[in-house]
Amino acid sequence: MISVNELALEIFDNLANYSEDFNVAYHELDNGAKIVDCGVSVAGGYAAGRAFTEICMGGLGEVNFRMGQIKDVPMPFIEVSTDFPAISCLGAQKAGWTVKVNNYFAMGSGPARALALKPKHTFEVIGYEDESDDAVIALESDHLPNGEVMEKIAKECGIEVENLCAVVAPTASIVGSIQVSGRCVETAIYKLNELGFDTKKITAAIGCAPIPPVKADATKAMGTTNDATIYHGQINLTMKAPEIKDYLDKIPSNKSKGYGKPFYDIFKEANFDFYQIDTSLFSPAEVTINELTEGKVYHVGAVNPDVVLKSFGYL
């Protein structure tokens, strides 16, 4: 059986052992829990961003960077691929764990979820559950967790706290920008799962999205990082599922009633309440599909460069 935690642990150990090379900082708490700071009090960078994203995907994704353009503006892009879309995206990368202990708050993702089963329904749908004595969690936060937080996470995972590892990065950081844009494929898999499609039938997935400039304000950073996929995420899925034609019209973000403005503006109009936002907005801009059973291809959605450039601050 594939263990997303064991695969991610190898990446974590490399980060920890060569922290200076990655512009990150390694910490071991009094209770033995291990933390790699990827942007809270350190610079981080592209190498750390790649490792963070690969950890989020449970070691089942490959991450690359390239320079591209949106209209005439050059900018970096992230490319993510996986041959295990349901497990890597829903069983690991999905930010499905709200970590809240006293005053500490973080969005949790990564393979530790496959031990704690956060949320349980997701793992029932994809038919996956990890077995490992070690756990690796990715925390999106501007503060490092203390021993009490790590104890709580370890307990939820059913492991000893000294076997728990965490990578941490704020949204408003280089690694934050990279790892959120690196969820471009996950948004497509997540959307199909929410629509009731059997994502286990997706055999391979690849996608790209621009990496947004880092914003000083965390809320604005959340806006730009979401816009990268909503308005310029391009995904290709390979699957054996002729029934996908029944889902096509509902996949891309431009089918959402909230589509057309930078996410920060939409969020502000909703009084910064996520529950007032149409969840169908959290989708990639453009998707192509190769359906193998009938040998057909499909194309839905389109990128929206103007909204991206406005969100990023170029317009």
Side-chain angles (χ1 to χ4, degrees):
M1 185 190 77
I2 291 174
S3 171
V4 288
N5 280 284
E6 289 181 8
L7 290 171
L9 183 61
E10 294 180 19
I11 305 169
F12 178 90
D13 285 343
N14 194 47
L15 263 181
N17 292 334
Y18 300 97
S19 57
E20 289 188 5
D21 297 346
F22 284 95
N23 281 329
V24 299
Y26 172 72
H27 304 278
E28 185 168 330
L29 304 184
D30 291 341
N31 60 12
K34 304 169 186 66
I35 299 169
V36 172
D37 175 3
C38 295
V40 175
S41 59
V42 295
Y46 284 92
R50 175 187 284 113
F52 195 109
T53 306
E54 290 177 345
I55 285 172
C56 284
M57 299 183 76
L60 293 175
E62 184 172 325
V63 177
N64 292 291
F65 302 112
R66 64 175 173 84
M67 280 298 292
Q69 286 187 322
I70 296 182
K71 288 195 168 179
D72 294 327
V73 181
M75 64 182 67
F77 279 71
I78 186 171
E79 294 182 337
V80 178
S81 62
T82 177
D83 293 328
F84 300 88
I87 296 175
S88 65
C89 294
L90 299 182
Q93 191 177 25
K94 175 182 174 181
W97 189 348
T98 300
V99 177
K100 194 175 188 309
V101 180
N102 297 324
N103 294 325
Y104 186 82
F105 175 85
M107 289 306 301
S109 60
R113 291 181 43 249
L115 294 174
L117 302 182
K118 302 282 188 178
K120 186 175 182 180
H121 175 68
T122 296
F123 293 93
E124 291 174 343
V125 169
I126 66 174
Y128 179 75
E129 182 176 343
D130 198 5
E131 293 181 9
S132 173
D133 293 330
D134 300 282
V136 187
I137 190 167
L139 299 173
E140 189 174 339
S141 174
D142 56 5
H143 289 85
L144 298 180
N146 60 22
E148 186 179 5
V149 174
M150 296 295 275
E151 288 275 5
K152 176 74 181 298
I153 295 171
K155 183 177 180 181
E156 295 276 4
C157 292
I159 64 166
E160 299 296 326
V161 69
E162 59 264 28
N163 294 333
L164 176 62
C165 304
V167 287
V168 188
T171 311
S173 67
I174 296 175
V175 172
S177 286
I178 291 169
Q179 71 95 4
V180 179
S181 289
R183 296 173 185 272
C184 53
V185 170
E186 184 240 319
T187 60
I189 309 300
Y190 171 80
K191 183 63 172 289
L192 283 168
N193 180 68
E194 290 296 296
L195 292 172
F197 178 79
D198 184 0
T199 58
K200 296 190 298 297
K201 294 183 178 182
I202 306 172
T203 55
I206 186 170
C208 69
I211 299 171
V214 178
K215 300 294 183 179
D217 178 84
T219 305
K220 290 183 178 179
M222 181 178 62
T224 56
T225 52
N226 275 290
D227 288 335
T229 292
I230 293 171
Y231 294 106
H232 219 282
Q234 297 175 294
I235 315 301
N236 177 269
L237 305 176
T238 303
M239 62 181 68
K240 289 186 176 181
E243 68 272 21
I244 189 61
K245 58 181 176 289
D246 298 328
Y247 296 85
L248 295 174
D249 290 342
K250 297 178 181 179
I251 299 174
S253 57
N254 63 8
K255 300 301 180 180
S256 168
K257 61 184 179 181
Y259 181 89
K261 299 178 182 179
F263 182 80
Y264 178 79
D265 294 344
I266 297 170
F267 196 32
K268 186 176 181 180
E269 290 173 2
N271 297 313
F272 300 103
D273 182 357
F274 266 111
Y275 295 102
Q276 293 185 34
I277 298 174
D278 180 12
T279 56
S280 65
L281 182 65
F282 299 101
S283 310
E286 189 171 19
V287 179
T288 56
I289 296 170
N290 182 194
E291 199 290 302
L292 302 179
T293 307
E294 297 179 348
K296 292 186 176 181
V297 292
Y298 302 97
H299 175 215
V300 292
V303 297
N304 191 329
D306 290 331
V307 176
V308 176
L309 292 177
K310 181 180 180 182
S311 172
F312 288 9
Y314 293 106
L315 287 181

